[in-house]
């Protein structure tokens, strides 16, 4: 059974399918935070202002530098949809 979902090679985040603890290795990265099932974590470093890509679609921009293995959620991203 798979532990995470990455749909496209363009994705820079993955979605956890189980709860994981900080320090575990998942998708080739060392988790920097606890990651709950259904939540995203960075597959690589994402610099402030860079896009967050999930399912080959831009879903947000990083509001700060996000290290690989870090939980990616509203505390470190800015939504890009419906923005003028």
């Amino acid at each position: 059974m798979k532990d995470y979902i990455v749909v496209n090679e363009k994705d820079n985040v993955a979605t956890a399918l189980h709860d994981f603890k900080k320090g575990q290795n998942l998708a080739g990265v060392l988790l920097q935070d606890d990651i709950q099932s259904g939540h995203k974590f960075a597959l690589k470093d994402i610099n402030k202002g860079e896009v967050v890509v999930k399912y080959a679609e831009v879903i947000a921009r990083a509001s700060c530098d996000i290290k690989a293995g870090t939980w990616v959620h509203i505390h470190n991203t800015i939504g890009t949809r419906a923005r003028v």
Side-chain angles (χ1 to χ4, degrees):
M1 183 176 196
K2 198 142 187 181
D3 292 326
Y4 60 91
I5 297 172
V6 176
V7 172
N8 190 282
E9 64 186 28
K10 296 177 185 176
D11 294 356
N12 58 9
V13 296
T15 303
L17 296 177
H18 310 282
D19 291 346
F20 293 94
K21 294 290 184 187
K22 177 180 178 176
Q24 287 184 272
N25 191 307
L26 186 60
V29 297
L30 186 66
L31 296 180
Q32 303 300 309
D33 300 300
D34 292 343
I35 308 294
Q36 293 181 358
S37 179
H39 285 253
K40 297 175 295 299
F41 61 95
L43 293 169
K44 64 179 201 111
D45 292 347
I46 304 169
N47 295 319
K48 181 178 180 178
E50 287 185 341
V51 294
V52 176
V53 180
K54 178 180 174 183
Y55 305 148
E57 295 289 331
V58 173
I59 61 167
R61 286 199 178 275
S63 61
C64 60
D65 291 342
I66 302 171
K67 296 286 186 192
T70 299
W71 178 39
V72 177
H73 200 56
I74 60 173
H75 69 286
N76 57 9
T77 63
I78 299 169
T80 57
R81 295 182 182 220
R83 303 270 180 192
V84 179

